[in-house]
Amino acid sequence: MLKSKTFVKKTRSGGIMKIVREHYLRDDIWCGSEVCTECKQEETVLQKDACIESNLCSFPHYLLPDTNIVLSQIDILEDPLIKNVIILQTVLQEVRHRSAPIYKRLKDILHDKEKHFYTFTNEHHRETYIEREQGESANDRNDRAIRISTKWYSDHLNNTPTTDKRLKVVLLTNDRGNKEKAEESGLLTYRCEEYVKSLIANPELVDRLALTNDDKNEITSSKVLFPEHLPLSRIQSGIKSGTFQQGTFRASRDNYLEATVFVHGEGDDSTEVLIQGLQNLNRAVHQDLVAVEILPLNQWVAPSSVVLQDEGPKEDDVTEEEEAELKSGPSGAASRKPTGRVVGIIKRNWRPFCGMLFLSQIKEATRHLFTPADRRIPRIRIETRQAATLAGQRIMVAVDGWPKHSRYPNGHFVRSLGSAGDKETETEVLLLEHDVPHQDFSQAVLSFLPKMPWNITEEDMAVREDLRNLTVCSVDPPGCTDIDDALHCRDLPNGNQEVGVHIADVSHFIRPGNAMDLEAANRGTTVYLTGRRIDMVPELLSSNLCSLRSSVERLAFSCIWEINDKAEIVKTRFTKSVINSKASLTYAEAQMRIDDANMNDDTTKSLRGLNRLAKILKKRRIEKGDLMFTLYRWVQIQITLLFPRETNSMVEEFMLLANISVAQKIYDEFSECALLRKHPAPPPSNYDILNKAAKSKDMVIHTDSAKALADSLDAAQVDGFPYFNTLLRILATRCMMQAVYFCSGMDSDFHHYGLASPIYTHFTSPIRRYSDIIVHRLLAVAIGADSTYPDLMDKHKQSALCNNLNYRHKMAQYAQRASVAYHTQLFFKSRGILNEEGFILFVRKNAIIVLIPKFGLEGTVFFENKDKPSPKLIFNEEAPSLTVEGHSFNMFDKVKVTISLDASNVQHQKIRMSLVEPVISGVSVAPSEPEPEVKRAKLDR
Amino acid sequence: MATVQVSEAEKVYILHGVRDDLRVDGRGCEDYRHMEIETDMVSNTDGSAKVTLGHTDVLVGVKAEMGKPRPMVPDEGYLEFFVDCSANATPEFEGRGGDELGMELSNTLYKVFNNRYSVDLKSLCISPGDHCWVLYVDVLLLQCDGNLFDAISVAIKAALFNTKIPKVHISEDEEGGKEIELSDDPYDCMRLNVENVPCIVTLCKVGHRHVVDATLQEKACSVASLIISVTHKGTVTCVRKVGGGSLDPESIFEMTETGKRVGKALHAPLMELLQEEESLGKKRQKVGFLG
């Protein structure tokens, strides 16, 4: 049956359009229940004995939540206890419209076979479709549609002759009007709270209930603390007229009463608006999209330099002194910044936050404050009966809302991550806080894995070049299971050499658009933490089918060059291939083979050839001004105290070569949509600190080009201070910009500053980087080995993908750093207090940053202390130097510090450094006694 | 324009019949042929109507769009007319064949309908000087069997009656910035007052008398016709003479009087019919194009 749906819409240009859509109603939509004999369904989702033990419903029943229940209580629905739920299409559509993240979570539940969630397409069912009536709002219509469907279900289930008559459908709604109407028409209806509280077996589920509006009123006094947020329409018109600015809210890490809003202007220019004071912050939370109003010029203030932590549950009164203190910051007109106040929230960006419970002083209380691990997030008030068990655990809390009369936002407990300080828990926190997707791969994703045992088929062989006879080998760090590159080198009859780089053909397994592809695209990269790896693709691929292990046949994407004696490329070609690696070597093994004159097998010869060419290539690249090598590798090697081996750079060299060759090829072929990587040259001002540092030792660093920089860094040596050069290189590294992925159609600057290459991309690690998969696909299309698909050629879609990849890479880096920091803390916890020598890396206004070469550890020595009067500090920005009580600290000065673990704050344990030498009275501390040997031995065990 | 060839003998036959108030198809001189009206035919317009008069078949759609008011009358909306003479109606319209007729028709319609006496143009104003509703009246000729003007005018009146314009209101913030807000309820819409919308009565001078609703054969015997638009009160709002022959003042006067009488008589049943159809609401069985 055909119906048409008519609605009126406002177009973007301000016009009004009437839109008519065809809407088909059918009568072959089944109910999805196991008991039903009427419906001709092939598969049933809802179980026959759908029993959740409950006081209210002692009979088997299906749950049917309305939209608001799904939106606010998704945490409850996700609980494994809740099964056999009917999700109406009306609800699904509305959820999708209102909240994308919740929609995604709902979709995940629906896919989970264990949960028995069924989507009933009531909008297309002939008996449950309703048209909007005159004078009915869209919401009322949807509520009615939900009631009609509930009614249909209960009638339908009762009509089935074989049915156990006790099976019922329970409508869950918190809407009073809806509930009354449903009861009138004889439906079984409960409020969500009512129902959840009635669940006998699982009292802890109550904690996961989100607070609804009714409950919030009980919690807080009626005193209004915050100004009302403006409605969205007012905000939009305000933004249009320029009275308000729209921007991302970024809370200050150090001061809970201060925040900045980044206002994105036209093009690149964006301004920062300072917000001070609780009233002006007006319930905005870090990362929200807010509208701000700029205050008149005479109310502008300077950012305060005071560190303020919200100390605890001071019930609803904004402490006046703190506000006063805040205002008394430096008031020089020069340091004043545009100041504003938040007038409304355009989009909340709440996610579940990790943190710990701050127990209420009252023993019996069920309302507690939760302190998030991220200092930029305000405390959250939650209600729980398991406070005693949750104390000392890392937990996750979701925010439900922030009413205007409440000092803190309200939230609810989501789940516990484990006890604080536990390695597992801390890693979990770290991943969550850095937004690293780390759940196990879903069934949908795994379903796209090839069936085992997997073999290379005839068809594969037919379209691929057979390179199994070549002596290919791989060289990787020890313990590497995801081997994505392998090499070969052989002499050609004409005297030239053939070098091949073989990369795992991941794009053969991950086809565009399927669940596995989407998951990988979302994850973006494999994240390596200390002691843990979070894969981008399922392990079967990463460690087996795609891993180019020795003595097995593997699919590869090969880049093969003909190279002459001077290491110049004569010919390049790309091909999909099948290889059989002859050896998986570690760097050390490879080096040994090259050095061992007695070994003369094919693999070793091949390695020697590669090594020889790599040396020439490397020399040439350094001449051109490659910084990556001179900076990053060097620093890394120095810090991790690895012995540099030629083989490291040998593999590196050919990977670079392959990346550049591929970049050129895909750009030639697809000038609009090639995925490339660029590294912008840093603006000259970035080098200020480096120049100042060099000047302090009477040296000049040329920064006009990468080449000049590399050369002058090489030349910068101080006699008797061998570590100086390393320090300088560390500083230079800090001046660099971040390398990013981009789509060639959206940018014009392709230059890779660090590698001194005009074009670059990532091709060689498709197992651990999604960018490489895209590059593989582009290249495959370019050589005619694979077909294309629309998204690959859409530069806007690619650009969006690049943004995600860049974000994921950045977060992965942060997570890695945080992981290293955490393990450093563990290390120092076991070592106790240590005295070490270090060098001053930076000088700050009230502190110096010290690098300890022995551990490659960086730490801050503060000269200001909360409880002690601060010493006399004179900061000279030009030098830069800091004079503390007459002793001046310059960059690169040698100091001695004690290192200890500051565990006073369980959530934020940190390494503390204090000055030992030079001795300054009142500032430095006495060197601590090394702890007795006995104790240490115990710990070491 | 669609014409037929009539022989001398046929002409005499028609003329004599008209003289005796008995036309070829049995009608009197002031009688219309059988007329059928259906509104709300096309769902993606804001108002539509189809009128069948004899074998003449006309479809009218009204679309309301937002536009800027004319500078001379900032507080009024306006109507635009477009007549599409499709080749379906007659092979003569093929290619650009129907353009001239279409222009002529739309010009006349513009004169007749786009004035404040016919339609309450002020009610089409959203915010003076800035926004108003523009009603695009699209006329589609499906079949031509004489007397296009009358059929079109009835169809336009019916379509305007059927027109539902979404309600909008202007919200104003402190700075005077105006924002147009659209009501969320699709049923919340504005109806036009069509009471004063005139109908066109075309009178054809045949011999010494004149006839209403001339067929193509009668038209072929006529030298000139008079197009008169009449309101429900019998007020003549527009008169236009078409055709090559001349009309003496006396017969013009007579024809006007007839037009007034016929027009007045046409309005009352038309409005009744439209209201009856409207009251049926969704229960009404739609006939559509195939009925």
Side-chain angles (χ1 to χ4, degrees):
Chain A
M1 195 161 90
L2 172 68
K3 288 244 173 197
S4 66
K5 262 209 259 191
T6 308
F7 53 95
V8 196
K9 207 178 101 177
K10 204 170 127 182
T11 58
R12 210 169 289 166
S13 56
I16 297 215
M17 271 230 292
K18 184 175 171 182
I19 293 165
V20 181
R21 293 264 159 80
E22 285 179 345
H23 190 85
Y24 292 89
L25 300 184
R26 19 198 329 165
D27 26 56
D28 57 348
I29 293 172
W30 315 129
C31 69
S33 169
E34 221 168 42
V35 298
C36 180
T37 49
E38 221 169 84
C39 294
K40 298 174 197 71
Q41 48 212 352
E42 281 163 7
E43 241 181 297
T44 53
V45 176
L46 301 165
Q47 290 167 299
K48 193 182 257 168
D49 46 347
C51 235
I52 305 174
E53 264 183 79
S54 158
N55 286 336
L56 288 170
C57 317
S58 48
F59 37 80
H61 55 275
Y62 298 151
L63 292 174
L64 199 151
D66 77 355
T67 315
N68 280 328
I69 298 284
V70 174
L71 283 173
S72 57
Q73 311 289 9
I74 186 82
D75 287 332
I76 295 275
L77 293 177
E78 272 177 349
D79 195 280
L81 183 73
I82 305 289
K83 280 181 187 171
N84 293 300
V85 177
I86 300 162
I87 301 291
L88 297 180
Q89 190 193 8
T90 317
V91 173
L92 200 63
Q93 279 170 350
E94 226 181 326
V95 167
R96 184 165 109 167
H97 184 66
R98 302 251 295 265
S99 162
I102 292 187
Y103 177 71
K104 188 174 178 296
R105 285 165 75 183
L106 187 61
K107 277 300 238 191
D108 286 345
I109 306 179
L110 285 167
H111 282 308
D112 189 350
K113 287 226 164 52
E114 292 298 297
K115 293 282 284 172
H116 299 283
F117 271 52
Y118 181 66
T119 326
F120 182 62
T121 32
N122 63 319
E123 297 283 353
H124 289 279
H125 193 288
R126 206 152 67 99
E127 284 166 60
T128 53
Y129 173 71
I130 54 161
E131 265 176 90
R132 190 167 162 182
E133 277 168 11
Q134 193 143 13
E136 197 175 37
S137 77
N139 278 336
D140 287 345
R141 187 247 159 221
N142 285 345
D143 282 347
R144 193 157 61 90
I146 292 169
R147 288 199 301 275
I148 298 268
S149 300
T150 316
K151 180 88 185 144
W152 180 86
Y153 250 105
S154 22
D155 293 348
H156 179 78
L157 291 176
N158 274 333
N159 282 341
T160 322
T162 54
T163 309
D164 179 2
K165 286 279 181 209
R166 296 186 313 151
L167 190 62
K168 285 187 178 163
V169 176
V170 177
L171 174 66
L172 291 183
T173 176
N174 281 354
D175 184 282
R176 211 164 285 160
N178 193 14
K179 189 171 179 236
E180 272 164 26
K181 277 187 195 146
E183 275 163 356
E184 260 170 45
S185 47
L187 299 174
L188 199 58
T189 316
Y190 294 113
R191 297 195 330 122
C192 191
E193 286 83 336
E194 260 179 327
Y195 181 78
V196 170
K197 280 177 188 154
S198 80
L199 298 175
I200 311 156
N202 294 65
E204 76 276 1
L205 211 55
V206 178
D207 286 347
R208 300 180 63 171
L209 271 176
L211 299 171
T212 51
N213 281 325
D214 302 1
D215 306 338
K216 281 174 201 157
N217 295 343
E218 298 162 24
I219 287 190
T220 44
S221 63
S222 55
K223 201 173 116 193
V224 174
L225 280 170
F226 295 102
E228 190 86 59
H229 286 150
L230 294 180
L232 207 56
S233 56
R234 286 272 305 278
I235 294 177
Q236 275 165 350
S237 57
I239 289 172
K240 222 183 244 173
S241 67
T243 18
F244 302 147
Q245 310 285 324
Q246 173 181 333
T248 318
F249 184 88
R250 296 195 191 166
S252 156
R253 216 179 267 275
D254 303 322
N255 188 334
Y256 77 101
L257 291 173
E258 199 173 270
T260 47
V261 171
F262 275 78
V263 178
H264 318 290
E266 295 281 313
D268 283 339
D269 64 319
S270 51
T271 43
E272 248 180 73
V273 179
L274 186 73
I275 318 264
Q276 262 190 1
L278 272 185
Q279 293 278 320
N280 290 343
L281 294 172
N282 199 1
R283 291 170 281 157
V285 178
H286 185 62
Q287 289 293 338
D288 285 349
L289 194 61
V290 296
V292 288
E293 183 187 35
I294 310 280
L295 295 173
L297 201 65
N298 57 5
Q299 289 180 40
W300 286 16
V301 290
S304 77
S305 48
V306 197
V307 176
L308 272 185
Q309 301 271 316
D310 193 357
E311 288 301 349
K314 287 175 208 125
E315 209 37 63
D316 291 353
D317 42 46
V318 184
T319 36
E320 297 290 332
E321 323 101 76
E322 279 179 12
E323 294 267 288
E325 196 180 339
L326 188 68
K327 295 275 145 59
S328 66
S331 51
S335 54
R336 285 187 181 192
K337 278 190 160 183
T339 309
R341 65 185 187 92
V342 175
V343 291
I345 311 277
I346 298 164
K347 188 169 174 285
R348 287 286 192 190
N349 234 336
W350 289 338
R351 57 186 171 92
F353 298 111
C354 298
M356 290 180 75
L357 209 57
F358 188 95
L359 287 192
S360 163
Q361 262 90 4
I362 313 154
K363 223 181 173 185
E364 243 62 309
T366 54
R367 284 166 202 146
H368 302 275
L369 275 182
F370 160 84
T371 314
D374 190 339
R375 279 200 211 110
R376 292 167 296 191
I377 308 296
R379 288 165 186 231
I380 301 163
R381 193 197 312 270
I382 65 166
E383 194 170 346
T384 175
R385 280 171 198 79
Q386 348 164 31
T389 31
L390 291 183
Q393 288 196 8
R394 294 273 193 175
I395 59 171
M396 265 179 104
V397 162
V399 190
D400 299 324
W402 198 339
K404 61 174 183 276
H405 42 251
S406 163
R407 171 73 171 73
Y408 298 106
N410 293 322
H412 66 272
F413 167 68
V414 179
R415 66 193 175 104
S416 166
L417 302 170
S419 50
D422 193 44
K423 220 172 184 169
E424 293 280 303
T425 316
E426 297 301 327
T427 312
E428 182 82 11
V429 170
L430 202 141
L431 290 171
L432 285 167
E433 282 301 303
H434 290 94
D435 195 15
V436 176
H438 62 284
Q439 307 82 356
D440 291 338
F441 288 98
S442 68
Q443 276 307 319
V445 172
L446 296 176
S447 70
F448 286 99
L449 284 176
K451 301 280 166 293
M452 292 303 283
W454 173 85
N455 277 313
I456 296 172
T457 59
E458 288 296 315
E459 294 101 78
D460 288 335
M461 290 303 291
V463 294
R464 286 166 185 274
E465 202 166 324
D466 188 356
L467 301 178
R468 283 176 295 185
N469 54 337
L470 292 179
T471 29
V472 174
C473 67
S474 63
V475 184
D476 284 284
C480 178
T481 59
D482 49 349
I483 304 170
D484 40 22
D485 48 71
L487 298 155
H488 88 268
C489 173
R490 63 171 177 183
D491 296 327
L492 289 176
N494 62 2
N496 286 345
Q497 273 177 314
E498 181 190 79
V499 174
V501 166
H502 311 276
I503 306 297
D505 191 5
V506 181
S507 62
H508 174 83
F509 297 98
I510 301 183
R511 301 310 299 165
N514 71 23
M516 190 154 65
D517 181 48
L518 297 180
E519 181 68 29
N522 179 38
R523 293 192 177 209
T525 173
T526 295
V527 182
Y528 296 88
L529 301 182
T530 319
R532 187 168 168 196
R533 185 178 85 195
I534 293 100
D535 278 326
M536 180 181 82
V537 296
E539 198 177 352
L540 177 67
L541 289 184
S542 68
S543 303
N544 187 356
L545 298 187
C546 289
S547 183
L548 304 176
R549 297 186 298 189
S550 59
S551 318
V552 281
E553 289 175 6
R554 287 285 175 251
L555 301 181
F557 208 144
S558 305
C559 172
I560 299 169
W561 302 282
E562 191 181 327
I563 295 182
N564 67 15
D565 236 16
K566 292 180 205 117
E568 284 159 353
I569 298 171
V570 182
K571 215 161 80 188
T572 311
R573 71 189 174 96
F574 306 97
T575 178
K576 292 230 174 183
S577 61
V578 181
I579 61 160
N580 189 345
S581 173
K582 301 289 177 286
S584 307
L585 306 171
T586 63
Y587 289 123
E589 282 168 0
Q591 188 66 53
M592 263 157 57
R593 277 182 184 235
I594 292 171
D595 296 343
D596 190 347
N598 296 328
M599 292 188 81
N600 270 316
D601 55 310
D602 282 351
T603 313
T604 312
K605 273 192 216 155
S606 168
L607 281 172
R608 287 199 187 118
L610 288 168
N611 197 28
R612 191 184 61 79
L613 290 171
K615 275 187 195 158
I616 309 175
L617 285 169
K618 181 173 149 191
K619 192 163 151 263
R620 192 179 310 147
R621 217 154 40 76
I622 291 173
E623 274 167 13
K624 256 166 58 188
D626 181 283
L627 274 175
M628 282 301 171
F629 193 80
T630 44
L631 289 178
Y632 295 98
R633 302 287 160 242
W634 222 80
V635 168
Q636 194 187 7
I637 287 159
Q638 290 291 310
I639 289 178
T640 54
L641 302 174
L642 265 173
F643 292 102
R645 288 194 188 92
E646 282 173 345
T647 42
N648 280 18
S649 66
M650 176 187 91
V651 176
E652 187 89 31
E653 210 52 58
F654 286 105
M655 294 306 132
L656 287 176
L657 198 61
N659 284 338
I660 294 169
S661 296
V662 171
Q664 194 58 50
K665 173 78 180 171
I666 59 171
Y667 178 64
D668 289 346
E669 208 72 31
F670 308 105
S671 61
E672 280 295 294
C673 56
L675 189 149
L676 302 176
R677 190 169 171 83
K678 69 168 175 182
H679 182 216
S685 61
N686 273 24
Y687 288 121
D688 281 358
I689 188 74
L690 186 66
N691 286 330
K692 279 177 192 169
K695 217 188 266 168
S696 70
K697 296 281 182 232
D698 293 325
M699 266 176 231
V700 183
I701 300 287
H702 300 282
T703 55
D704 6 312
S705 73
K707 166 95 178 113
L709 180 61
D711 287 347
S712 42
L713 279 178
D714 285 338
Q717 302 282 356
V718 174
D719 289 335
F721 189 4
Y723 206 66
F724 171 74
N725 194 272
T726 312
L727 287 172
L728 213 54
R729 281 172 200 274
I730 292 173
L731 277 182
T733 317
R734 303 282 160 93
C735 303
M736 293 298 144
M737 306 281 283
Q738 188 81 34
V740 287
Y741 296 112
F742 69 103
C743 174
S744 61
M746 307 292 274
D747 210 325
S748 54
D749 174 30
F750 296 176
H751 194 72
H752 197 292
Y753 180 79
L755 293 171
S757 168
I759 193 163
Y760 193 68
T761 192
H762 272 162
F763 168 72
T764 52
S765 301
I767 299 180
R768 59 185 178 89
R769 289 189 304 234
Y770 189 75
S771 50
D772 301 47
I773 296 185
I774 292 289
V775 170
H776 273 226
R777 287 182 186 157
L778 286 167
L779 185 63
V781 175
I783 63 167
D786 206 343
S787 53
T788 177
Y789 59 101
D791 283 6
L792 192 65
M793 296 295 147
D794 183 332
K795 63 176 175 179
H796 297 283
K797 289 234 172 78
Q798 266 214 13
S799 193
L801 178 70
C802 287
N803 287 341
N804 181 49
L805 294 182
N806 288 331
Y807 169 73
R808 291 291 184 204
H809 276 273
K810 196 173 72 190
M811 288 326 258
Q813 251 174 37
Y814 290 162
Q816 269 156 33
R817 263 181 234 166
S819 172
V820 168
Y822 174 67
H823 282 85
T824 316
Q825 286 166 19
L826 287 185
F827 173 76
F828 283 104
K829 202 172 175 179
S830 66
R831 295 296 283 270
I833 299 165
L834 295 171
N835 298 315
E836 284 300 335
E837 270 184 7
F839 298 99
I840 299 178
L841 202 54
F842 292 106
V843 179
R844 296 267 185 264
K845 240 178 200 166
N846 60 353
I848 51 173
I849 292 161
V850 178
L851 178 84
I852 315 285
K854 185 170 169 193
F855 304 114
L857 174 79
E858 221 178 289
T860 312
V861 177
F862 286 102
F863 293 117
E864 272 169 336
N865 227 327
K866 252 189 201 167
D867 19 271
K868 277 193 283 183
S870 56
K872 206 168 145 239
L873 300 173
I874 303 156
F875 180 63
N876 177 355
E877 209 169 336
E878 277 310 301
S881 71
L882 179 71
T883 313
V884 183
E885 297 285 334
H887 184 280
S888 82
F889 291 94
N890 286 305
M891 286 176 89
F892 306 133
D893 283 359
K894 197 182 217 173
V895 290
K896 205 167 190 180
V897 292
T898 77
I899 308 164
S900 61
L901 186 72
D902 181 2
S904 58
N905 183 342
V906 195
Q907 280 213 60
H908 300 287
Q909 301 198 355
K910 56 188 174 207
I911 305 286
R912 184 170 37 202
M913 286 192 186
S914 346
L915 195 66
V916 177
E917 258 171 52
V919 181
I920 305 168
S921 65
V923 178
S924 62
V925 294
S928 58
E929 289 299 313
E931 306 208 356
E933 280 300 313
V934 193
K935 199 173 171 188
R936 192 140 83 198
K938 216 186 203 168
L939 280 165
D940 279 345
R941 219 177 345 129
Chain B
M1 178 91 170
T3 47
V4 286
Q5 299 285 321
V6 202
S7 71
E8 243 356 87
E10 274 178 300
K11 256 186 196 167
V12 172
Y13 179 69
I14 290 169
L15 281 170
H16 285 195
V18 168
R19 194 183 60 196
D20 298 339
D21 199 13
L22 184 64
R23 292 155 70 179
V24 180
D25 46 11
R27 287 182 289 159
C29 281
E30 294 179 14
D31 292 342
Y32 272 97
R33 283 172 286 176
H34 177 69
M35 194 188 287
E36 279 177 17
I37 302 173
E38 191 182 359
T39 56
D40 210 7
M41 298 275 299
V42 187
S43 56
N44 49 8
T45 60
D46 293 295
S48 57
K50 191 173 87 115
V51 167
T52 319
L53 181 63
H55 284 114
T56 299
D57 212 348
V58 185
L59 177 69
V60 171
V62 179
K63 274 202 81 80
E65 265 171 43
M66 231 170 339
K68 225 177 159 55
R70 305 242 151 111
M72 298 299 285
V73 273
D75 57 345
E76 286 182 4
Y78 58 94
L79 287 81
E80 293 269 19
F81 292 89
F82 181 76
V83 182
D84 182 14
C85 306
S86 83
N88 273 2
T90 152
E92 282 170 54
F93 292 160
E94 221 174 280
R96 309 189 62 93
D99 287 5
E100 204 181 325
L101 176 68
M103 275 306 258
E104 189 198 330
L105 285 168
S106 51
N107 285 341
T108 311
L109 295 175
Y110 190 77
K111 283 223 172 65
V112 171
F113 292 102
N114 188 36
N115 57 63
R116 69 192 71 170
Y117 308 108
S118 305
V119 182
D120 183 11
L121 294 177
K122 285 215 163 73
S123 71
L124 294 177
C125 178
I126 299 166
S127 72
D130 286 328
H131 298 285
C132 70
W133 287 110
V134 182
L135 299 182
Y136 290 93
V137 181
D138 293 313
V139 180
L140 182 64
L141 302 183
L142 297 170
Q143 206 171 339
C144 287
D145 187 26
N147 205 13
L148 287 174
F149 278 105
D150 296 23
I152 292 172
S153 73
V154 170
I156 290 178
K157 180 153 178 162
L160 287 176
F161 175 83
N162 180 237
T163 299
K164 299 178 185 83
I165 303 172
K167 249 185 205 157
V168 291
H169 57 97
I170 305 280
S171 62
E172 215 166 314
D173 50 23
E174 309 92 83
E175 292 81 27
K178 279 173 191 158
E179 186 72 26
I180 289 170
E181 276 169 44
L182 184 63
S183 164
D184 161 63
D185 185 358
Y187 290 100
D188 189 17
C189 48
M190 179 176 85
R191 304 297 290 262
L192 289 169
N193 181 7
V194 294
E195 205 183 9
N196 290 322
V197 174
C199 281
I200 296 175
V201 179
T202 312
L203 293 143
C204 271
K205 182 98 180 161
V206 179
H208 293 288
R209 295 192 63 159
H210 44 261
V211 295
V212 167
D213 189 18
T215 59
L216 288 176
Q217 285 83 0
E218 285 166 338
K219 186 101 194 257
C221 306
S222 140
V223 283
S225 29
L226 205 59
I227 294 167
I228 307 170
S229 68
V230 190
T231 66
H232 70 118
K233 286 184 193 136
T235 323
V236 175
T237 57
C238 182
V239 179
R240 206 184 141 206
K241 195 219 124 211
V242 289
S246 67
L247 292 174
D248 58 287
E250 208 171 306
S251 53
I252 291 183
F253 177 74
E254 267 174 35
M255 286 161 95
T256 319
E257 284 301 309
T258 315
K260 267 161 83 172
R261 201 167 50 242
V262 173
K264 222 172 146 179
L266 183 63
H267 274 290
L270 175 64
M271 283 309 284
E272 222 170 274
L273 203 73
L274 289 173
Q275 252 136 20
E276 196 189 321
E277 192 181 28
E278 170 85 7
S279 67
L280 286 175
K282 278 193 176 141
K283 282 172 286 177
R284 177 168 71 92
Q285 197 91 55
K286 286 200 179 176
V287 181
F289 295 97
L290 302 172

